[in-house]
Amino acid sequence: MTTDPAHRRNIVGAAWMIAAMAAFAVEDALVKAVSDLLPVGQILTLFGLGGAAIFVAIALRQGDALVTPDVFAPAMRLRVLFEITGRLFYVLALALIPLSTATVILQATPLVVVASAALIFGERVGWRRWTAICLGLLGVMIILRPGTEGFSALSLLALVGMLGFAGRDLASRAAPRSLSTAILGLYGFLALAAAGLLFSAWQGASFRWPDARAALLLVAVILIGIGAYSCLMKAMRTGDVSAVTPFRYTRLLFGAALGIAVFGETLTLGMLVGSGLIVLSGLFILWRGQKASLRAGI
């Protein structure tokens, strides 16, 4: 019995995506752990510089020019701005709120991307997908619980971080095609380092020499973060986007599991209902998008 090559590629791509989401969840948990030992600005700066150094090595090995006119294109400048916003606020959220809550809110990113693509790029989004987007955003509101005693203003940090990541994804789409993944990664991590320096200056927190445990955690964050990014790129380049992308939501499972097992967090009914709405809405949007592509003959 032979296996369809396209089907095999989708299986491999899905495996890469699951590995990427598991690694990103571990990265989040490590960032949360090291935030108890070092200032957030220092974590961002060292993480950004470490990741940038690795991507410089990758880019040079591929023969990519590190600085070209396209690097300063308007879309790239916007990408850096959104990267700084997303990274800074999401790391602050990881440090100050439960890991499971931050992870769940982050899963709304694709919903915001689809809605923004319709409004900014004029992509066609029918009433069914708009309904799904609204239901997914309702799920975010159920998790945040504004106006109730259970509302925590700190949860808004994760919301702003999620919006920053959505803006980054949209800017990445508009970035010049001449820029390789390594170059995008390089400037993304440089933006992360810039976010750390800006936050440190605003907070007035001086850098501290990390002890052995903090240094080990930082090295692990950098290596796992690069591995997660590489797995994600491998996934998107191996299988069909429509087949591989739904497995992004496994990050929610990994994040919630780590939050419960490592940090002793609990999942409330509101979080379960809200995350269910977010995931189902996202999967429905992907399914409708795939159907629309097939009808258009793409």
Side-chain angles (χ1 to χ4, degrees):
M1 182 178 178
T2 59
T3 305
D4 179 23
H7 180 65
R8 189 186 304 114
R9 286 195 301 272
N10 286 338
I11 292 175
V12 173
W16 280 116
M17 180 62 77
I18 293 172
M21 295 303 105
F24 276 125
V26 173
E27 175 197 314
D28 289 346
L30 291 172
V31 169
K32 186 172 182 64
V34 78
S35 67
D36 291 333
L37 306 174
L38 294 173
V40 169
Q42 184 174 349
I43 295 169
L44 286 166
T45 301
L46 295 177
F47 184 22
L49 292 176
I54 292 176
F55 274 114
V56 164
I58 294 172
L60 292 177
R61 184 178 179 181
Q62 294 176 171
D64 296 332
L66 300 182
V67 181
T68 65
D70 285 342
V71 165
F72 303 100
M76 285 295 291
R77 294 199 293 269
L78 277 175
R79 186 179 188 272
V80 168
L81 179 62
F82 281 122
E83 185 82 58
I84 290 174
T85 303
R87 290 283 192 171
L88 174 58
F89 282 90
Y90 187 64
V91 170
L92 284 171
L94 289 175
L96 298 172
I97 69 174
L99 173 63
S100 53
T101 301
T103 303
V104 169
I105 293 173
L106 185 66
Q107 302 315 301
T109 304
L111 304 177
V112 177
V113 169
V114 172
S116 300
L119 297 173
I120 298 172
F121 296 117
E123 292 191 5
R124 183 178 178 184
V125 176
W127 67 269
R128 293 179 181 85
R129 279 193 282 178
W130 275 116
T131 301
I133 290 169
C134 292
L135 287 175
L137 296 179
L138 174 62
V140 174
M141 299 301 291
I142 291 174
I143 294 168
L144 293 177
R145 293 181 294 174
T148 68
E149 292 183 359
F151 172 69
S152 172
L154 293 175
S155 298
L156 296 177
L157 294 171
L159 181 63
V160 176
M162 180 269 290
L163 294 174
F165 286 138
R168 177 202 61 187
D169 290 349
L170 288 166
S172 297
R173 174 173 180 161
R177 297 290 183 181
S178 61
L179 298 177
S180 67
T181 298
I183 296 299
L184 292 177
L186 165 60
Y187 284 94
F189 274 90
L190 286 177
L192 176 57
L197 291 172
L198 289 172
F199 185 71
S200 295
W202 176 81
Q203 191 180 34
S206 59
F207 277 26
R208 299 202 301 261
W209 188 260
D211 59 19
R213 181 167 180 263
L216 183 62
L217 286 172
L218 280 172
V219 171
V221 166
I222 293 169
L223 294 178
I224 292 175
I226 295 296
Y229 190 88
S230 300
C231 288
L232 178 61
M233 294 300 102
K234 193 79 173 176
M236 299 306 291
R237 294 183 174 185
T238 301
D240 297 331
V241 173
S242 59
V244 171
T245 300
F247 289 92
R248 280 180 177 267
Y249 290 105
T250 56
R251 182 172 181 172
L252 190 153
L253 301 176
F254 292 121
L258 286 170
I260 294 170
V262 178
F263 301 104
E265 299 170 3
T266 57
L267 298 179
T268 65
L269 178 61
M271 281 189 62
L272 292 173
V273 173
S275 59
L277 284 173
I278 292 170
V279 172
L280 290 176
S281 299
L283 293 176
F284 177 80
I285 287 170
L286 288 169
W287 175 68
R288 289 295 302 180
Q290 183 181 19
K291 287 191 65 176
S293 297
L294 291 175
R295 284 198 301 268
I298 298 176

